[in-house]
Each structure stands twice: as C-alpha cells, then as structure tokens.
Amino acid sequence: MPRPDTTQQPGVFASLSHQLLDAFGTLAADQLVLPPDGVTAVVLAYNEALRFPHFLDHYRALGVRHFIVVDNASDDGTGALLKSQADVSVIETRKPYRDYKSVWRQLLCDRYLQERWVIFPDVDELLVYPGWSDLSINDLTRYLETSGYQALFTPMVDMYPDGPLNNLSYQPGERFLDCCPWFDGDGYRYNPLKGSHGKRYKTPARHVFGGTRERLFHQQAKRPRNALDRWLLGSVFSLQAKASDTAFGRKLDHLLFKLVKNALPSPAAVQSKIPLLKWQTGTCFSGGVHGIDREVSVAPDWGVLLHFKYLDDFKSKVAEAITRKQHTDNAGHYLDYNFQIGNLMDKGLRSSVSRRFKGVETLIDCGLMRETPALRNWISRLR
C-alpha cells in the first residue's frame, strides 16, 4: 500500500477525501465530527467486545476526549457496543488490516488531528505513566508541550495471571489488572533496530526487546553469549542506558550492536512504542506505532503500555490471527504462540522473574518506566 500524499498544496483536502475513500471503502471516514480540543484516541480493532468496556473506562479516566475506532469487520458485537457510546466515532471497513493499518492512522490524523495530541493504543493496551492515576493525560501533554517534547516513548509490558489461563473467567468491564497483575520484571534490553528498518524509521533511536514474549517464545540465537556480549547487554544496552541524540552516537550504537546481535534471539519482537504524539502532517508509522519516519523530540520520561493479551480468550485469539493472516509476517508470532498454547493454558506464565504490579513505582523500580526530576516537580506543583 503506497504512502498517502498529504502535502500542504491547494486541493489537499479534496485529495485526502479521495484517499480516505480508497483506504476505507466508505464515505464515513471523511464525515466525522470531533471535539475541537483534547486528546483523541485512534484505535484499530477486530472482535474486541470482551476488552472494550474496560479499555474505554481506563482512557476516559485518563481524560481522553474522543475515540476514533476503525472496526475491521468485527462479528462479535463490537460494532453495536461502540455505536452506543457518545464519545466514539466508528468507521467500519473490510479493507485488509495488514495492508492499510499505517495508512488508516495517517490519513485520519492528517484529516482531523493536525497539531493535536493523539494516542494510538490497541484495545489490549492500557497506558500508565509517572503520576498515574492522579495526573490526567491533558496534564501530561501540557508538561510535554511546555518542555518542548512531541512524543512519549513506552515499553510494552505483558501482563498475565497468577495461574493457568484455563482458570480465568474474565467478564467485560472488569479491571484487567484484577485478573492479570503479574509481569516480567527482568530480561529486557534497550538497543537499536537492525538493518534498513532502523535507518528509515528515525524515532526512536532505540527500542525495548525481551520480556515475557522472548522468555516464552524466542530463545534461539546463532551463537551462545560470551563475556563481551554479557558486558554490552548489562551496560551499553541495558534498560538503564541512555540513547544517544547525536549522529555519531547513533552510528557507534549500531557498530556496538553488531558485536552482540548474533547472540540474541531471532526473530526479536519489538516491545516498545511511540503511542502518544503531537501529530505532524505526513507522519508515517512503521506498520504498528513502534517507529516514526522522522526525527521528533521524545521526552526522556517513559510511560508504559500494560499489555493484556493473556486473558481467557487467548487461545481463540491466536487461532483467529493465524486464520486471518493480517499481522506481521503472516501472523508469524502467533504461530509461535500456538506452539506453546498448551503450556500457557494449562500451566500459566509465572516464573522466577515475575513481579506483581502495585502501581507505577513497581515499573520505575524495574527500569521499565522513567521519571525525570522535571516531571516529578511538575506533578508536585499540580498537587
């Protein structure tokens, strides 16, 4: 799917209208009426009736003003549920998710949300950040804007229950954290992307890898780790390390990473995103919202996307994804899930590195969330 042409030239809105019709296959995408201010969530969804009630509760509590949901032909009642919500605009489309997911986000933001703060969560992701839940998302974006930042970086942290997934009986509207309060507190790294993808998508300079997904599904590497690998991973590419903001520093990052990359699992799933962004016309994401094709000023503070994939519908979701083949690499990661599905359903995900979420301080303590003195002072003044 080619990138849309949304440069600021005469007739740009007419051009956008045609591109919206082509991308969504419906005029509805060009006829939304949104509030003039506040943070807007842009959400892509398929069969998420189980998660949407609490998802909406969480983001409304943060202060999200409006939700634009692209419903990709759900058949589980998602559409009817969303249409009854006054603060949700629904666009129904049957166009293939794998071809259009980045285009949908870009066109909607170029059409409606230029120079506004936008959040891009999946329905199984809940954003938390330093000061949550006392600090609203509007206060957070004011801090970011006042400080000269255009985006917030967030690791993705898989959350899971205490026991086997077969023992869960989650009901719509219940708090995700009540049934899945555990996460991996160790086993992460912070390094640049390999290859051309890292060159095309300039923000962020580094991504988070590892965690639960790698522990369970991706252990194979080309060679065992040596003393140099262990030193690099424990210092240069640890969660506590800082990404360079200079061209020389980035080049050095890539050179050092070449020394260790063959000792790391492959494929390696990216476990971080840029989900909160002040939208600039023409911005393009790398498929998901993991990377951006331009340099933007990212806050040194980190939020976290708590990721609730492991509810009791996990098995059916995996089978659904494999059948639809709408995810990266023909749902390759879901094939990995499927290989381990029996252990997860019958034994669960707990391990020696598991920690119980007791608030954002738990994430800060693990290095998965960062809070600078500037944000800490901002929060204290608001209180």
Short mmCIF file of all heavy atoms in Angstrom, two decimals, residues 243-291:
data_model
loop_
_atom_site.label_atom_id
_atom_site.label_comp_id
_atom_site.label_asym_id
_atom_site.label_seq_id
_atom_site.Cartn_x
_atom_site.Cartn_y
_atom_site.Cartn_z
N ALA A 243 19.95 6.51 25.22
CA ALA A 243 20.14 6.53 23.77
C ALA A 243 20.80 7.84 23.38
O ALA A 243 20.44 8.91 23.88
CB ALA A 243 18.80 6.37 23.06
N SER A 244 21.75 7.78 22.48
CA SER A 244 22.44 8.99 22.02
C SER A 244 21.51 9.84 21.16
O SER A 244 20.68 9.32 20.41
CB SER A 244 23.68 8.62 21.22
OG SER A 244 24.30 9.77 20.70
N ASP A 245 21.69 11.16 21.24
CA ASP A 245 20.90 12.06 20.39
C ASP A 245 21.77 12.72 19.33
O ASP A 245 21.38 13.72 18.73
CB ASP A 245 20.19 13.13 21.24
CG ASP A 245 21.17 13.94 22.09
OD1 ASP A 245 22.39 13.72 21.99
OD2 ASP A 245 20.69 14.81 22.86
N THR A 246 22.97 12.16 19.07
CA THR A 246 23.84 12.68 18.02
C THR A 246 24.01 11.63 16.93
O THR A 246 23.88 10.43 17.16
CB THR A 246 25.23 13.04 18.58
OG1 THR A 246 25.91 11.84 18.97
CG2 THR A 246 25.10 13.98 19.77
N ALA A 247 24.37 12.09 15.72
CA ALA A 247 24.58 11.17 14.60
C ALA A 247 25.75 10.23 14.89
O ALA A 247 25.69 9.03 14.60
CB ALA A 247 24.84 11.96 13.32
N PHE A 248 26.83 10.77 15.50
CA PHE A 248 27.98 9.93 15.83
C PHE A 248 27.59 8.86 16.86
O PHE A 248 27.96 7.70 16.74
CB PHE A 248 29.13 10.78 16.37
CG PHE A 248 30.28 9.96 16.88
CD1 PHE A 248 31.18 9.39 15.99
CD2 PHE A 248 30.46 9.74 18.25
CE1 PHE A 248 32.24 8.60 16.45
CE2 PHE A 248 31.50 8.96 18.72
CZ PHE A 248 32.40 8.39 17.81
N GLY A 249 26.81 9.28 17.87
CA GLY A 249 26.39 8.34 18.91
C GLY A 249 25.54 7.22 18.35
O GLY A 249 25.67 6.06 18.75
N ARG A 250 24.66 7.55 17.42
CA ARG A 250 23.81 6.53 16.81
C ARG A 250 24.63 5.55 15.97
O ARG A 250 24.39 4.35 15.96
CB ARG A 250 22.72 7.18 15.96
CG ARG A 250 21.67 7.91 16.77
CD ARG A 250 20.49 8.32 15.91
NE ARG A 250 19.44 8.93 16.71
CZ ARG A 250 18.19 9.04 16.32
NH1 ARG A 250 17.82 8.56 15.14
NH2 ARG A 250 17.28 9.60 17.09
N LYS A 251 25.62 6.11 15.25
CA LYS A 251 26.49 5.24 14.45
C LYS A 251 27.27 4.28 15.36
O LYS A 251 27.37 3.08 15.08
CB LYS A 251 27.47 6.11 13.65
CG LYS A 251 28.42 5.33 12.75
CD LYS A 251 27.68 4.66 11.62
CE LYS A 251 28.66 4.01 10.65
NZ LYS A 251 27.95 3.28 9.56
N LEU A 252 27.79 4.82 16.47
CA LEU A 252 28.51 3.98 17.42
C LEU A 252 27.59 2.90 18.01
O LEU A 252 28.00 1.75 18.18
CB LEU A 252 29.10 4.84 18.53
CG LEU A 252 29.91 4.11 19.61
CD1 LEU A 252 31.11 3.40 18.98
CD2 LEU A 252 30.36 5.09 20.69
N ASP A 253 26.34 3.29 18.29
CA ASP A 253 25.35 2.34 18.80
C ASP A 253 25.22 1.14 17.87
O ASP A 253 25.22 -0.02 18.29
CB ASP A 253 23.99 3.04 18.90
CG ASP A 253 23.47 3.09 20.33
OD1 ASP A 253 24.25 2.83 21.26
OD2 ASP A 253 22.28 3.39 20.50
N HIS A 254 25.08 1.42 16.58
CA HIS A 254 24.89 0.35 15.60
C HIS A 254 26.14 -0.51 15.47
O HIS A 254 26.04 -1.74 15.31
CB HIS A 254 24.48 0.93 14.25
CG HIS A 254 23.05 1.35 14.18
ND1 HIS A 254 22.03 0.48 13.84
CD2 HIS A 254 22.44 2.55 14.41
CE1 HIS A 254 20.87 1.12 13.87
NE2 HIS A 254 21.09 2.37 14.21
N LEU A 255 27.31 0.11 15.54
CA LEU A 255 28.55 -0.66 15.45
C LEU A 255 28.69 -1.61 16.65
O LEU A 255 29.06 -2.77 16.49
CB LEU A 255 29.74 0.29 15.38
CG LEU A 255 29.89 1.07 14.06
CD1 LEU A 255 31.01 2.10 14.18
CD2 LEU A 255 30.17 0.12 12.90
N LEU A 256 28.38 -1.10 17.84
CA LEU A 256 28.47 -1.95 19.03
C LEU A 256 27.42 -3.06 19.01
O LEU A 256 27.68 -4.19 19.43
CB LEU A 256 28.31 -1.10 20.29
CG LEU A 256 29.46 -0.15 20.62
CD1 LEU A 256 29.11 0.76 21.79
CD2 LEU A 256 30.73 -0.94 20.94
N PHE A 257 26.25 -2.72 18.48
CA PHE A 257 25.19 -3.73 18.44
C PHE A 257 25.54 -4.88 17.49
O PHE A 257 25.16 -6.03 17.73
CB PHE A 257 23.86 -3.09 18.04
CG PHE A 257 22.70 -4.04 18.11
CD1 PHE A 257 22.33 -4.61 19.31
CD2 PHE A 257 22.00 -4.38 16.96
CE1 PHE A 257 21.27 -5.50 19.38
CE2 PHE A 257 20.94 -5.27 17.03
CZ PHE A 257 20.58 -5.83 18.24
N LYS A 258 26.29 -4.57 16.42
CA LYS A 258 26.71 -5.63 15.51
C LYS A 258 27.54 -6.70 16.22
O LYS A 258 27.53 -7.87 15.83
CB LYS A 258 27.51 -5.03 14.35
CG LYS A 258 26.67 -4.32 13.31
CD LYS A 258 27.53 -3.80 12.17
CE LYS A 258 26.67 -3.10 11.11
NZ LYS A 258 27.52 -2.58 9.99
N LEU A 259 28.24 -6.30 17.27
CA LEU A 259 29.08 -7.25 18.01
C LEU A 259 28.26 -8.29 18.77
O LEU A 259 28.74 -9.40 19.01
CB LEU A 259 30.00 -6.50 18.98
CG LEU A 259 30.98 -5.50 18.38
CD1 LEU A 259 31.73 -4.77 19.49
CD2 LEU A 259 31.96 -6.21 17.45
N VAL A 260 27.05 -7.91 19.16
CA VAL A 260 26.26 -8.77 20.04
C VAL A 260 25.03 -9.37 19.37
O VAL A 260 24.44 -10.33 19.88
CB VAL A 260 25.84 -7.99 21.30
CG1 VAL A 260 24.77 -6.95 20.97
CG2 VAL A 260 25.37 -8.89 22.41
N LYS A 261 24.64 -8.88 18.22
CA LYS A 261 23.32 -9.24 17.66
C LYS A 261 23.16 -10.73 17.39
O LYS A 261 22.07 -11.28 17.54
CB LYS A 261 23.03 -8.43 16.40
CG LYS A 261 23.92 -8.76 15.21
CD LYS A 261 23.51 -7.92 13.99
CE LYS A 261 24.34 -8.30 12.78
NZ LYS A 261 23.93 -7.50 11.58
N ASN A 262 24.25 -11.42 17.00
CA ASN A 262 24.13 -12.85 16.71
C ASN A 262 23.98 -13.71 17.95
O ASN A 262 23.68 -14.91 17.86
CB ASN A 262 25.33 -13.32 15.90
CG ASN A 262 25.28 -12.85 14.46
OD1 ASN A 262 24.21 -12.53 13.94
ND2 ASN A 262 26.43 -12.78 13.81
N ALA A 263 24.16 -13.10 19.13
CA ALA A 263 23.96 -13.82 20.38
C ALA A 263 22.56 -13.58 20.94
O ALA A 263 22.25 -14.06 22.04
CB ALA A 263 25.01 -13.39 21.41
N LEU A 264 21.73 -12.89 20.19
CA LEU A 264 20.38 -12.57 20.63
C LEU A 264 19.36 -13.39 19.86
O LEU A 264 19.60 -13.76 18.70
CB LEU A 264 20.09 -11.07 20.44
CG LEU A 264 20.99 -10.14 21.25
CD1 LEU A 264 20.73 -8.69 20.85
CD2 LEU A 264 20.79 -10.34 22.74
N PRO A 265 18.20 -13.67 20.46
CA PRO A 265 17.17 -14.45 19.76
C PRO A 265 16.72 -13.78 18.48
O PRO A 265 16.68 -12.54 18.38
CB PRO A 265 16.02 -14.50 20.78
CG PRO A 265 16.69 -14.33 22.10
CD PRO A 265 17.83 -13.38 21.85
N SER A 266 16.40 -14.59 17.51
CA SER A 266 15.86 -14.09 16.25
C SER A 266 14.74 -15.04 15.79
O SER A 266 14.94 -16.26 15.80
CB SER A 266 16.96 -14.03 15.19
OG SER A 266 16.46 -13.50 13.99
N PRO A 267 13.56 -14.50 15.44
CA PRO A 267 13.23 -13.08 15.41
C PRO A 267 13.05 -12.49 16.81
O PRO A 267 12.73 -13.21 17.75
CB PRO A 267 11.90 -13.04 14.65
CG PRO A 267 11.27 -14.36 14.99
CD PRO A 267 12.40 -15.35 15.06
N ALA A 268 13.28 -11.19 16.89
CA ALA A 268 13.13 -10.48 18.17
C ALA A 268 11.97 -9.50 18.04
O ALA A 268 12.00 -8.61 17.18
CB ALA A 268 14.41 -9.74 18.53
N ALA A 269 10.96 -9.68 18.85
CA ALA A 269 9.78 -8.81 18.78
C ALA A 269 10.05 -7.49 19.49
O ALA A 269 10.52 -7.48 20.63
CB ALA A 269 8.58 -9.51 19.41
N VAL A 270 9.76 -6.38 18.82
CA VAL A 270 9.90 -5.06 19.44
C VAL A 270 8.88 -4.93 20.56
O VAL A 270 7.69 -5.18 20.37
CB VAL A 270 9.70 -3.94 18.40
CG1 VAL A 270 9.79 -2.57 19.07
CG2 VAL A 270 10.73 -4.05 17.29
N GLN A 271 9.35 -4.51 21.73
CA GLN A 271 8.50 -4.38 22.91
C GLN A 271 8.42 -2.93 23.37
O GLN A 271 8.48 -2.64 24.56
CB GLN A 271 9.03 -5.27 24.03
CG GLN A 271 8.94 -6.76 23.74
CD GLN A 271 7.51 -7.24 23.63
OE1 GLN A 271 6.97 -7.41 22.54
NE2 GLN A 271 6.85 -7.45 24.75
N SER A 272 8.28 -2.02 22.41
CA SER A 272 8.12 -0.60 22.75
C SER A 272 7.39 0.11 21.63
O SER A 272 7.38 -0.35 20.48
CB SER A 272 9.49 0.06 23.01
OG SER A 272 10.37 -0.15 21.92
N LYS A 273 6.79 1.24 21.97
CA LYS A 273 6.03 2.02 21.01
C LYS A 273 6.18 3.52 21.29
O LYS A 273 6.70 3.92 22.33
CB LYS A 273 4.54 1.65 21.06
CG LYS A 273 4.21 0.25 20.54
CD LYS A 273 2.70 0.00 20.49
CE LYS A 273 2.38 -1.33 19.84
NZ LYS A 273 0.93 -1.57 19.73
N ILE A 274 5.71 4.30 20.32
CA ILE A 274 5.53 5.75 20.50
C ILE A 274 4.03 6.01 20.41
O ILE A 274 3.51 6.41 19.37
CB ILE A 274 6.28 6.56 19.41
CG1 ILE A 274 7.76 6.24 19.42
CG2 ILE A 274 6.05 8.05 19.62
CD1 ILE A 274 8.56 6.93 20.48
N PRO A 275 3.26 5.75 21.48
CA PRO A 275 1.80 5.78 21.36
C PRO A 275 1.16 7.14 21.57
O PRO A 275 -0.02 7.32 21.28
CB PRO A 275 1.37 4.82 22.48
CG PRO A 275 2.40 5.03 23.54
CD PRO A 275 3.71 5.30 22.81
N LEU A 276 1.91 8.10 22.11
CA LEU A 276 1.36 9.44 22.39
C LEU A 276 2.21 10.44 21.64
O LEU A 276 3.42 10.55 21.87
CB LEU A 276 1.37 9.72 23.89
CG LEU A 276 0.79 11.06 24.34
CD1 LEU A 276 -0.69 11.19 23.95
CD2 LEU A 276 0.96 11.26 25.84
N LEU A 277 1.57 11.21 20.76
CA LEU A 277 2.30 12.01 19.79
C LEU A 277 1.53 13.27 19.43
O LEU A 277 0.31 13.22 19.27
CB LEU A 277 2.52 11.16 18.52
CG LEU A 277 3.23 11.73 17.32
CD1 LEU A 277 4.70 11.96 17.65
CD2 LEU A 277 3.10 10.77 16.13
N LYS A 278 2.25 14.39 19.33
CA LYS A 278 1.63 15.60 18.76
C LYS A 278 1.75 15.48 17.25
O LYS A 278 2.85 15.52 16.70
CB LYS A 278 2.29 16.87 19.27
CG LYS A 278 1.53 18.11 18.82
CD LYS A 278 2.01 19.38 19.49
CE LYS A 278 1.14 20.56 19.06
NZ LYS A 278 1.61 21.83 19.64
N TRP A 279 0.61 15.33 16.59
CA TRP A 279 0.61 14.92 15.19
C TRP A 279 1.13 16.02 14.27
O TRP A 279 0.72 17.17 14.35
CB TRP A 279 -0.79 14.51 14.74
CG TRP A 279 -0.75 13.89 13.37
CD1 TRP A 279 -1.08 14.47 12.19
CD2 TRP A 279 -0.30 12.57 13.07
NE1 TRP A 279 -0.88 13.59 11.16
CE2 TRP A 279 -0.39 12.41 11.67
CE3 TRP A 279 0.17 11.50 13.85
CZ2 TRP A 279 -0.03 11.23 11.03
CZ3 TRP A 279 0.54 10.32 13.21
CH2 TRP A 279 0.42 10.20 11.81
N GLN A 280 2.02 15.60 13.36
CA GLN A 280 2.51 16.46 12.28
C GLN A 280 2.07 15.84 10.95
O GLN A 280 2.20 14.63 10.75
CB GLN A 280 4.03 16.56 12.30
CG GLN A 280 4.61 17.14 13.58
CD GLN A 280 6.13 17.07 13.56
OE1 GLN A 280 6.77 17.45 12.58
NE2 GLN A 280 6.71 16.58 14.64
N THR A 281 1.58 16.67 10.06
CA THR A 281 1.07 16.18 8.78
C THR A 281 2.11 15.33 8.06
O THR A 281 3.27 15.69 7.97
CB THR A 281 0.69 17.37 7.88
OG1 THR A 281 -0.31 18.14 8.54
CG2 THR A 281 0.15 16.89 6.54
N GLY A 282 1.66 14.18 7.58
CA GLY A 282 2.51 13.30 6.80
C GLY A 282 3.34 12.33 7.60
O GLY A 282 4.07 11.52 7.02
N THR A 283 3.23 12.36 8.92
CA THR A 283 3.97 11.40 9.74
C THR A 283 3.57 9.98 9.36
O THR A 283 2.39 9.69 9.15
CB THR A 283 3.68 11.64 11.23
OG1 THR A 283 4.10 12.96 11.59
CG2 THR A 283 4.41 10.64 12.11
N CYS A 284 4.55 9.09 9.29
CA CYS A 284 4.28 7.71 8.91
C CYS A 284 4.85 6.76 9.96
O CYS A 284 6.02 6.88 10.34
CB CYS A 284 4.89 7.41 7.55
SG CYS A 284 4.54 5.75 6.93
N PHE A 285 4.04 5.82 10.42
CA PHE A 285 4.49 4.80 11.36
C PHE A 285 5.04 3.59 10.62
O PHE A 285 4.71 3.34 9.46
CB PHE A 285 3.32 4.34 12.24
CG PHE A 285 2.91 5.31 13.30
CD1 PHE A 285 1.65 5.88 13.28
CD2 PHE A 285 3.77 5.63 14.34
CE1 PHE A 285 1.26 6.77 14.28
CE2 PHE A 285 3.39 6.51 15.33
CZ PHE A 285 2.13 7.08 15.30
N SER A 286 5.81 2.79 11.35
CA SER A 286 6.38 1.55 10.80
C SER A 286 5.42 0.39 11.03
O SER A 286 5.66 -0.48 11.86
CB SER A 286 7.71 1.25 11.48
OG SER A 286 7.52 1.11 12.88
N GLY A 287 4.34 0.35 10.30
CA GLY A 287 3.35 -0.72 10.50
C GLY A 287 2.54 -0.46 11.74
O GLY A 287 1.46 0.15 11.69
N GLY A 288 3.01 -0.92 12.90
CA GLY A 288 2.41 -0.53 14.16
C GLY A 288 2.93 0.85 14.54
O GLY A 288 3.47 1.58 13.71
N VAL A 289 2.81 1.22 15.80
CA VAL A 289 3.29 2.54 16.21
C VAL A 289 4.63 2.40 16.95
O VAL A 289 4.92 3.09 17.92
CB VAL A 289 2.24 3.30 17.07
CG1 VAL A 289 1.01 3.58 16.26
CG2 VAL A 289 1.86 2.51 18.32
N HIS A 290 5.47 1.51 16.42
CA HIS A 290 6.77 1.27 17.03
C HIS A 290 7.79 2.33 16.65
O HIS A 290 8.66 2.68 17.44
CB HIS A 290 7.29 -0.11 16.63
CG HIS A 290 6.39 -1.23 17.01
ND1 HIS A 290 6.25 -1.66 18.33
CD2 HIS A 290 5.58 -2.01 16.28
CE1 HIS A 290 5.39 -2.66 18.37
NE2 HIS A 290 4.96 -2.89 17.14
N GLY A 291 7.73 2.82 15.41
CA GLY A 291 8.70 3.78 14.94
C GLY A 291 8.07 4.82 14.03
O GLY A 291 7.01 4.59 13.45
#
